Amino acid sequence: MELKPIISVKDLHFSYKNHHVLSGINLELYKGEIVSLLGPNGCGKSTLIKLILKLLHGKGDITIDGKSLNNYSHKDIASHVAYIPQYNNTPFNYSALEMVVMGRVSKLDFFSLPSSNDYEIAKMALEKVGIENLRDRAFGQLSGGQKQMVLLARAIAQEVNVFIMDEPVAGLDYGNQVRLLELISELGSQGYTFLKTTHYPDHALLVSSRVVVMNGGVVISDGAPEDVISQQMIEDVYNIKADIIMHDAHRRCVPIFQQKREVF
Amino acid sequence: MRYKKEVKYLLIATALLILVILLSLMWGQYHIDMSTLIGYINYKLFSIEGINSQTFTLIDNIILEIRLPRVLLAILIGAALATSGAVFQAMFVNPLVSPGILGVLAGASFGAASGMLISENWLVVQILAFAFGFVAVSFAVLIGSMVTNSRSTVMLVLGGVISASLFTALLSIIKYVADPYSTLPTIVYWLMGSLSMAQLNEVVFVSFPILLSILGMIFMSKYFDLLSLGDEEAKALGVNVKLIRIVAITLATLASSLSVVMAGIIGWVGLIIPHIIRMAVGPSHRLLIPLSAIVGGAFLLLADAISRLALSVEIPIGILTSLIGIPIFIIVLKNARAVWN
């Protein structure tokens, strides 16, 4: 049996006024994959994610589970795919648990309120990411890493298998970056599918089953991390030099610092 | 049970409202003491004897003709303004807006005054008030989004200030052309905010659309939590953002515009009540919206009762809510960081 992609993007174009952002993007996402989208600022990574979530409208075909995105309402999309945005603050300080319960809204009827069952699911989601102790804390007072964990728990409470993350480690401190990557890897091994954008080729090497590189609104490379992330690719895309080294059985990408420092 | 806490707060607020209702029925030029009031209620509702017929007739008159319409109107308008305020704050993800600040009250007063000028028909006045309330809030949003693309707290407030000034100026034109001996005084006193013109049949007439708007906003409240995260996040979580936003803004504008038709411009209630409730019970709109309705009603009723009790001259309620509202809002602003991060 041929494997069908969960998400498929074919010949996708998008422009803001006269500025072309995406031209002819093709991308497929299969069950169980962790796909990292790499590329410099302004290459269209975030735009692509927003198009898949129907937050923007472009030209081309996007399907989720074989059905065209045009036939999906936002409620339908939310019952297939969870979006984990870069955390931003709301002026209203909901508790972590309330934030996670909001992930349940696509399961509720127009007039119904979240039930005890919805709250149980939200608590289990908090436990799953290991932050049940933060349940009653105000979201606005959490650290960046904790906020990202709450948003991940909210995605889990949505009870879907596909997570789309926009720069998950942006703004997190060093420790939280690593902890979040470990958690993504752990959830990936439990069968969750991820599509995430990242600025770090090194993170893509650590936590991806496939890497897609974009530059100037097109996909320039798509394949296994070890094939895609090379010295040449880093130089082409980011205009810096980097070494790909082996460390503790992992390929790592280490940028080369050009400026020589005097040592006395 | 899941909503034990919510039910507890709603019961406390309702008890508070009932207490204020009883006080308002007792207080006034003719003071009715508690035992007489209870005797009256017992006889009226349950036909239990215990009050002589002469007293009954007198009290029946005072309560049905004067105090009850006023009590109902105060509750209705307080509830309408506070609920609309909470909804506007959620819809614009902006804790600094209210029907007053967004220009809705000014727009509605211009619409209602034009209505009074051209027609004797109440319905025309109400429809024009709503229409211009809606124009005013749309104008505020347009100005707020014209300068910056992103959602800016300050720009929207500024847009509201501009919109309110525009409709206040237009209203001045109407005042200028209005008959200085009949229409002008009516408009001026009505605009100061007064509950004294309440008549039971008018109150009942206007209460339906206001009550329906409030109920609609209560039923939609779970979506307000999501919309206050911003449009993209709400959409990605499965909310039909456009529909919810249009319906919610329409209902909030309707409720606050009709409050203007009935009682003029009553400021600050829509701004401070949601803040006070958020400080007390947290930001979840499932509780915030219904509590705003109850507490807003109780607040305006109490303010009205105090004005009648404490002062021999009746100060228009709109002036009084400003006098009470401003110090409360200053306290709120001081604590603002803790409440909105």
Side-chain angles (χ1 to χ4, degrees), chain B residues 138-220:
Chain B
S138 311
F139 188 55
V141 174
L142 188 73
I143 296 171
S145 58
M146 209 166 58
V147 183
T148 46
N149 278 326
S150 61
R151 197 180 289 283
S152 154
T153 307
V154 179
M155 279 314 296
L156 182 62
V157 172
L158 196 58
V161 169
I162 294 170
S163 178
S165 310
L166 171 70
F167 284 99
T168 309
L170 293 177
L171 182 68
S172 300
I173 299 177
I174 291 197
K175 284 185 192 163
Y176 191 73
V177 300
D179 179 347
Y181 298 103
S182 61
T183 324
L184 181 62
T186 313
I187 292 177
V188 169
Y189 283 116
W190 154 71
L191 276 181
M192 281 180 184
S194 169
L195 298 167
S196 58
M197 287 186 282
Q199 309 225 318
L200 201 52
N201 56 346
E202 280 172 12
V203 174
V204 171
F205 184 64
V206 81
S207 67
F208 284 109
I210 292 187
L211 277 178
L212 283 178
S213 314
I214 293 173
L215 281 178
M217 291 188 271
I218 290 173
F219 275 121
M220 293 166 74

Side-chain angles (χ1 to χ4, degrees), chain A residues 106-119:
Chain A
S106 60
K107 308 268 187 243
L108 301 175
D109 298 332
F110 190 81
F111 289 114
S112 57
L113 294 175
S115 65
S116 314
N117 184 41
D118 293 313
Y119 276 88

Side-chain angles (χ1 to χ4, degrees), chain A residues 50 55 74-75 78 83 88-94 98 102 105 109-110 112-114 116 119 140 154 158, chain B residues 2-3 89 93 95 219 222-223 225-226 228-229 232-233 235-238 278 283 285-286 339-341:
Chain A
K50 284 177 184 169
L55 300 174
H74 284 294
K75 193 168 175 165
Y83 174 49
N88 54 13
N89 284 333
T90 154
F92 308 113
N93 228 341
Y94 304 108
E98 289 294 345
M102 289 188 211
V105 76
D109 298 332
F110 190 81
S112 57
L113 294 175
S116 314
Y119 276 88
R154 188 176 72 187
Q158 236 170 297
Chain B
R2 176 66 236 163
Y3 292 105
Q89 288 168 10
V93 199
F219 275 121
K222 75 164 179 285
Y223 293 109
D225 286 350
L226 285 124
S228 73
L229 302 178
E232 279 192 353
E233 222 169 316
K235 278 184 197 167
L237 287 164
R278 245 184 243 118
H285 289 82
R286 294 192 299 269
V339 182
W340 341 308
N341 295 344

Side-chain angles (χ1 to χ4, degrees), chain A residues 17 44 76 82 85 91 166 209 224 230 260:
Chain A
K17 291 189 181 129
D76 298 332
D166 195 9
S209 54
S230 62
K260 287 273 183 289

Side-chain angles (χ1 to χ4, degrees), chain B residues 316-339:
Chain B
I317 187 84
I319 297 173
L320 201 71
T321 57
S322 298
L323 292 177
I324 302 172
I326 290 166
I328 295 180
F329 191 65
I330 291 170
I331 296 168
V332 167
L333 271 180
K334 266 198 79 170
N335 295 320
R337 286 200 83 72
V339 182

Side-chain angles (χ1 to χ4, degrees), chain A residues 53-168:
Chain A
L53 292 160
K54 217 179 173 178
L55 300 174
L56 294 171
H57 298 271
K59 239 174 61 194
D61 291 325
I62 301 174
T63 61
I64 296 180
D65 283 338
K67 227 173 73 176
S68 165
L69 198 62
N70 299 329
N71 302 325
Y72 282 92
S73 67
H74 284 294
K75 193 168 175 165
D76 298 332
I77 296 171
S79 44
H80 285 84
V81 177
Y83 174 49
I84 297 132
Q86 290 180 38
Y87 66 87
N88 54 13
N89 284 333
T90 154
F92 308 113
N93 228 341
Y94 304 108
S95 71
L97 182 64
E98 289 294 345
M99 282 298 276
V100 177
V101 166
M102 289 188 211
R104 302 293 301 162
V105 76
S106 60
K107 308 268 187 243
L108 301 175
D109 298 332
F110 190 81
F111 289 114
S112 57
L113 294 175
S115 65
S116 314
N117 184 41
D118 293 313
Y119 276 88
E120 277 315 307
I121 289 167
K123 282 177 196 162
M124 271 152 47
L126 283 167
E127 272 169 40
K128 196 159 189 170
V129 298
I131 50 163
E132 61 273 30
N133 56 322
L134 302 178
R135 204 169 78 186
D136 299 318
R137 291 269 301 280
F139 184 74
Q141 266 115 48
L142 299 178
S143 75
Q146 290 168 330
K147 283 177 183 162
Q148 207 66 49
M149 294 294 188
V150 170
L151 297 184
L152 197 53
R154 188 176 72 187
I156 292 169
Q158 236 170 297
E159 292 186 316
V160 296
N161 291 313
V162 186
F163 292 174
I164 295 186
M165 303 181 93
D166 195 9
E167 311 273 354

